[in-house]
């Protein structure tokens, strides 16, 4: 039995928002995988919760008229993996969330929960950032849309205002159109049921002759306090001709962007070593997937 | 015959349908719930416990603290009682402790009407401590001036034993010897049975009854009675199906506390369920042992002198104590016999969770060190490590004086040959000899030997009861326990064959109830098939005699011309089936003249032991820049004598191999240096193998029937965990040339070692050289 | 809790429509074990890390320990007990677990059986590696997974063979 003071079950998004207005102390319970863990540890014991888990209107992946991919915040990881839209345009997101936990966790866990946690090890974070994702937020004041990069504030803290719900993640057409080279690498101590030591997501757009990297975006999880992009590494390769040396320069440049820390899970030195290695491998794979050749 | 067949487990149906009942499934849902309050310091004294807030909570029935418990220290190890005090386990903890010796020690207990209240109340108990300095490192704990855990044990040394032979100092003076020396480190790991320890207790008929997930019901009864100062007959322990034990449940864990709790609430039903986190830090672990090994060998490889030192981390309380390190040390001189030896083993208290028995009992540790060391020797001599083992490992006919064990067949070489062939070892060894590039493969091998049971150190005895039913089936009752390994099934196979009835006619009573079940010490030391086998054999013969005596009356034939075959009384002179056992049983029981309820019961005291042997072959792929070693293939070969049930034997080996993989590559309990708190006390952060962390596992056997055994069998439960980790380590050495002297070989460790040996730079240089070569010349 | 909060949950359990008044704080595991005595739902961690409590909800696997009981409203829940036939016949998966010696202590078994059942019901075929991936949410300490994977493979083979046979007939 979970030690909850009260549980309010929302029947619609608007109802959820009004429940949150009514009970300002209450926490949002999406799929709850980590809320339940904290409850058991006694950390959130005795709190009130507004459950939004039953809100099917917040589930599903759709392609909007302007080409925006809209992922309802409660869409489970397995439904993202199975989505034809995701598979066609941003398969890297499917690859990334397929690395989460095991089947049970992927059926339960939601992309919204994964981003609202504000944890740097969230497996979807690096990829969503690398895809310039935006978040849709709804509150009594209305709807606002902000870049995911601005949504992350600091570990465990995201830009959610009182009584505000994250309702969807949006990926614009411009962010995926032509970026056919996409790759994700998760580094963990086990091959399943593990949290990331690091997560790296790269996508590239090559010139028509496949010789030049027209654009490259790289996102990392656990390379800093929150999931982050690596602007200097991206600048290093943007507009450059593909070569082994370029890949090495890319790896080298990651050092200037990242800020990993030592914890009992891994030392800073080890993470730095891996960041460089993973960035190079991830870029190489992305180029190959885009039809380029690295030699 | 049932023996030797791949007989379906007797409990398979109930387990796949979810009908098999484990402790918590049997407990009434309205039981009172107990929660333990654990210490939040690593060492010190409890000054006060403020229970007032907890006691005020509605639904809280009682709060008990370390100031309330009986002042009767207990020894928790699951060893048979010894009539001589000197051979008994150290008794060094109370049910709840005022002197707390590790972060997580037991300080108080809350009993409440439901789990939410129990949790809240446990959090509301305020404990004030007088803190003392603590020590986490085993070598530091031995130093003068280190924090002292138990007054009676100076420098925290719980035990120190030695094996000295020949003259080491003289022997090493020989000219031209090669010295190989190394420190080898093994980690603290946990059993991680999927069912956490759980028990419930109540009073009935003036007795305390505890239903518990334990491997050793009869021993738990004794420890519980001692802890509560009750006559032993006033305690009853019931053991239903258990969700794994692996040695952790070969300790009296919380059963004595649970028994005491019910006595404190007027005999009401109290359930004590241990969480996964508590299981990690507050039950038992496998000793981390640090080894220092030195070998002097001649250029031809022969051993001249060897030195062995082991420092075993006991944690805060004695539990199984020095037995583990001593057993690990005992394996060393026998594996590669050598005339000049100096071996010392120390077991040392530290302010960490308590180490106890875990599958392998010192041998996985000793084999990691010893077998890594053998590869280091082979490397120093530049010889093939497999050939080296073939030459020097325990020879056929080797006999040992203490255990009276004899290596009757040439098991080691047979196992190595068999494994080598299946593994395609030689070819791979060659193929991986000169690799370049980021990703490399390697193969490795390691051997082990293992005892069967605990004779002559402790009592070995087993009792069995057989009751004949009116239909000719029997009930089989053993004190030895089913803990997942398949004991019930193999017992039934043995009973069926010796008695002469079909396997299906044996009903094994899986539950042990100390009020009913004959005495047996339980599941540990890989003893049950061997020890239980004697008792079953003896009892079946007694039952058969009784049956044939009645058969003489009923068939008018002399009993010496009768036999029991496949459930029928058969005349041996012509093979004629004279009557079914069922008819005999009914006729005898309801006879107006000679009615008898035909049963047999006997105890067999075993005064022997038996060598069990085997080896592991491992193949790894190491991604050097990513600091990852992936196991590609693992093969174990065992000689555990005759296989009673080959399918169950294979299954046992798979499970042990899996533990060895975790031990070699992934598992380690981590502690916060500042507080002594365990950092990864959950199944996410403690890296138990998942389905994705294994290759397919191959289990092979060499069946040399054990001459001392009732059914030709000897130990198999623990052996599969013993040689996997060093085989993996040796494969990584083969792949990369980097010797890693600690386990688990995680990416962190690989990163450090590759850094130390400049592997990353070397790779870069290698690549630059390749690029510098003219196009077309490179090996693309 | 200030005032206990109860709610009636209406759902289908092992093929039978049911409703129960429960404390809203109950996990699905609490409800199945305590209110329905479905003891195949085992607790190994209570935080979604071992899979011993795996159940099917609308055909997908979930850990019942980290799922609120009230969330099954209107859904279909299946536990290992629900896979056995009315006369105690074993399901394809259960039978394969018996035949392949995939059971040892048995504590992880019901969770694995349910996880494997989801694969059977998907109608898909799986390579051995895909089986490993799809069973990775269930931990077992006894078997090294070898016989479990064998059993699921066998169950899938038998299932697909039976389907082909059914079509032929
Ligand atoms: S008990 Fe639910 S996943 Fe472990
Ligand atoms: S059979 Fe024991 S945990 Fe799987």
């Amino acid at each position: 039995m979970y030690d909850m003071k009260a549980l309010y079950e929302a029947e619609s998004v608007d109802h959820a928002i009004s429940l949150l207005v009514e009970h300002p102390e209450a926490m949002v319970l999406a799929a709850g995988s980590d809320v339940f863990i904290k409850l058991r540890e006694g950390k959130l014991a005795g709190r009130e919760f507004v459950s939004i888990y039953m809100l099917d209107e917040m589930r599903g992946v759709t392609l909007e008229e302007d080409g925006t991919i809209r992922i309802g915040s409660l869409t489970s990881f397995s439904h993202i993996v199975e989505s034809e839209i995701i598979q066609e345009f941003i398969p890297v997101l499917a690859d990334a969330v397929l690395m989460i936990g095991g089947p049970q966790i992927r059926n339960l866990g939601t992309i919204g929960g994964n981003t609202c946690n504000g944890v740097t090890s969230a497996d979807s974070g690096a990829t969503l950032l690398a895809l310039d994702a935006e978040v849709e937020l709804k509150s009594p004041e209305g709807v606002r849309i902000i870049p995911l990069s601005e949504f992350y504030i600091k570990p465990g803290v995201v830009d959610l205002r009182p009584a505000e719900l994250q309702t969807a993640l949006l990926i614009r057409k411009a962010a995926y159109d032509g970026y056919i080279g996409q790759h994700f690498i998760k580094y963990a101590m086990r091959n399943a049921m593990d949290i990331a030591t690091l997560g790296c997501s790269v996508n590239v757009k090559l010139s028509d002759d496949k010789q030049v990297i027209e654009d490259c975006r790289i996102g990392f999880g656990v390379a800093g306090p929150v999931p982050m992009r690596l602007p200097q590494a991206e600048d290093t390769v943007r507009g450059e001709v593909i070569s082994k040396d370029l890949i090495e320069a890319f790896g080298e440049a990651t050092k200037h962007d990242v800020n990993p820390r030592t914890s009992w899970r891994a030392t800073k030195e080890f993470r730095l070593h891996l960041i460089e290695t993973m960035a190079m491998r991830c870029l190489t794979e992305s180029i190959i997937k885009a039809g380029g050749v690295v030699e | 015959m049932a023996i030797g067949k791949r007989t379906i487990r007797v409990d398979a149906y109930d387990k796949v349908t979810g009908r098999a009942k484990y402790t918590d499934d049997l407990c009434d849902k309205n039981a009172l719930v107990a929660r333990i309050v654990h210490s939040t310091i690593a060492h010190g004294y409890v000054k006060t416990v403020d229970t007032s807030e907890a006691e005020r909570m509605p639904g809280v029935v009682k709060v008990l603290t370390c100031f309330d418990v009986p002042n009767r220290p207990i020894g928790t190890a699951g060893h048979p009682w010894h009539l001589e005090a000197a051979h008994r386990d150290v008794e060094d903890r109370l049910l709840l402790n005022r002197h707390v010796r590790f972060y997580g020690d037991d300080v108080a207990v809350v009993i409440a009407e439901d789990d939410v209240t129990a949790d809240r109340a446990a959090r509301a108990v305020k404990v004030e401590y007088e803190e003392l300095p603590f020590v986490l490192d085993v070598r530091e704990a031995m130093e003068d001036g280190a924090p002292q855990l138990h007054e009676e044990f100076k420098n925290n040394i719980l035990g120190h034993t030695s094996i000295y032979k020949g003259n080491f100092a003289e022997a090493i003076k020989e000219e031209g010897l090669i010295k190989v020396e190394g420190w080898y480190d093994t980690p603290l790991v946990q059993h991680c049975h999927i069912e956490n320890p759980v028990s419930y207790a109540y009073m009935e008929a003036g007795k305390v009854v505890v239903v518990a997930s334990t491997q050793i019901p009869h021993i738990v009864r004794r420890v519980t009675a001692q802890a509560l100062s009750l006559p032993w007959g006033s305690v009853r322990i019931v053991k239903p199906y258990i969700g794994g034990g692996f040695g952790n449940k070969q300790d009296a864990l919380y059963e004595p506390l649970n028994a005491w709790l019910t006595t404190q609430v007027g005999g009401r039903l109290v359930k004590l369920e241990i969480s996964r986190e508590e299981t990690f830090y507050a039950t038992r672990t496998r000793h981390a042992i640090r080894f220092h090994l030195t070998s002097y060998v001649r250029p031809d490889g022969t051993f001249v002198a060897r030195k062995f030192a082991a420092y075993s981390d006991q944690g805060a309380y004695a539990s199984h104590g020095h037995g583990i390190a001593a057993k690990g040390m005992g394996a060393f001189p026998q594996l590669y016999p050598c005339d000049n030896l100096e071996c010392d083993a120390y077991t040392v208290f530290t302010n960490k969770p308590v180490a106890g028995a875990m599958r392998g009992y010192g041998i996985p540790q000793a084999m990691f060190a010893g077998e890594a060391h053998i590869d280091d020797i082979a490397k120093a001599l530049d010889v093939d490590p497999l050939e080296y083992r073939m030459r020097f490992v325990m020879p056929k006919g080797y006999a040992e004086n203490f255990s009276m064990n004899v290596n009757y067949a040439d098991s080691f070489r047979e196992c190595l040959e068999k494994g080598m062939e299946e593994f395609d070892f030689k070819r791979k060894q060659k193929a991986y000899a000169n690799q370049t590039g980021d990703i490399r493969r390697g193969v490795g091998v390691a051997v082990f030997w293992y005892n069967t049971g605990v004779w002559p150190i402790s009592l070995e005895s087993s009792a069995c009861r057989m009751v004949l039913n009116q239909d000719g089936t029997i009930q089989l009752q053993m004190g030895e326990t089913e803990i997942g390994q398949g004991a019930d099934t193999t017992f039934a196979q043995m009973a069926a064959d010796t008695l002469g009835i079909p396997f299906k006619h044996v009903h094994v009573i899986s539950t042990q109830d100390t009020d009913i079940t004959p005495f047996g010490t339980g599941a540990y030391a890989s003893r049950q098939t061997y020890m239980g086998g004697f008792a079953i054999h003896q009892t079946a013969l007694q039952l058969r005699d009784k049956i044939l005596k009645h058969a003489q009356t009923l068939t008018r034939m002399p009993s010496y011309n009768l036999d029991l075959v496949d459930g029928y009384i058969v005349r041996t002179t012509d093979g004629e089936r004279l009557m079914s056992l069922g008819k005999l049983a009914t006729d005898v029981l309801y006879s107006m003249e000679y009615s008898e309820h035909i049963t047999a019961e006997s105890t067999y005291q075993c005064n022997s032991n038996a060598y069990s042997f085997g080896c592991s072959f491992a193949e790894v792929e190491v991604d050097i820049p990513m600091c990852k070693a992936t196991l590609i293939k693992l093969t174990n070969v065992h000689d555990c004598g005759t296989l009673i049930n080959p399918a169950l034997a294979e299954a046992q080996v798979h499970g042990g191999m899996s533990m060895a993989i975790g031990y070699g590559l992934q598992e380690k309990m981590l502690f916060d240096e500042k507080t002594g708190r365990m950092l990864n006390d959950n199944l996410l952060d403690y890296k138990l193998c998942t389905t994705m962390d294994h290759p397919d596992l191959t289990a092979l056997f060499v069946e040399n029937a054990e001459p001392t055994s009732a059914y030709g069998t000897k130990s198999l439960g623990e052996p599969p965990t013993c040689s996997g980790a060093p085989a993996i380590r040796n494969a990584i050495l083969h792949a990369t040339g980097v010797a890693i002297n600690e386990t688990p070989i995680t990416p962190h460790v690989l990163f450090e070692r590759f850094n130390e040996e400049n592997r990353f730079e070397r790779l870069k240089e290698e690549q630059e050289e390749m690029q510098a070569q003219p196009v077309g010349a490179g090996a693309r | 809790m200030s005032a206990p909060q109860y709610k009636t949950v209406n759902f289908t359990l092992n093929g039978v429509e049911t409703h129960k008044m429960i404390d809203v704080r109950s996990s699905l595991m609490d409800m199945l074990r305590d209110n329905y005595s479905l003891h195949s739902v085992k607790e190994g961690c209570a935080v979604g890390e071992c899979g011993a409590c795996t159940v099917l909800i609308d055909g997908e696997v979930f850990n019942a320990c980290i799922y609120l009981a009230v969330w099954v409203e209107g859904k279909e829940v299946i536990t290992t007990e629900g896979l056995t036939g009315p006369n105690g016949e074993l399901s394809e998966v259960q039978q394969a677990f018996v035949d392949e010696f995939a059971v040892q202590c048995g504590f992880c078994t019901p969770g694995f059986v349910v996880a494997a059942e989801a694969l059977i019901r998907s109608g898909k075929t799986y390579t051995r590696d895909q089986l490993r991936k799809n069973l990775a949410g269930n931990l077992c300490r006894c078997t090294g997974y070898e016989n479990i994977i064998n059993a699921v493979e066998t169950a899938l083979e038998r299932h697909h063979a039976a389907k082909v046979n059914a079509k032929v007939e």
Side-chain angles (χ1 to χ4, degrees), chain B residues 194 243-244, chain C residues 102-109 112 139-143 148:
Chain B
I194 303 298
Chain C
V103 178
Q104 289 193 37
C105 80
F107 204 76
C108 71
T109 307
F112 264 108
L139 293 177
C140 172
R141 189 56 148 171
C142 298
T143 64
I148 291 179

Side-chain angles (χ1 to χ4, degrees), chain B residues 683, chain C residues 29 42-54 63-66 137:
Chain B
L683 293 172
Chain C
M29 176 162 69
K42 300 281 187 236
E43 177 180 323
C45 70
V47 288
E49 290 162 4
C50 76
C53 63
T54 302
N63 292 319
C65 68
I66 47 167

Side-chain angles (χ1 to χ4, degrees), chain B residues 648-664:
Chain B
L648 291 182
E650 274 164 26
Q652 273 286 88
V653 174
H654 294 152
M657 290 167 79
S658 174
M659 276 192 177
I661 296 170
Y663 198 57

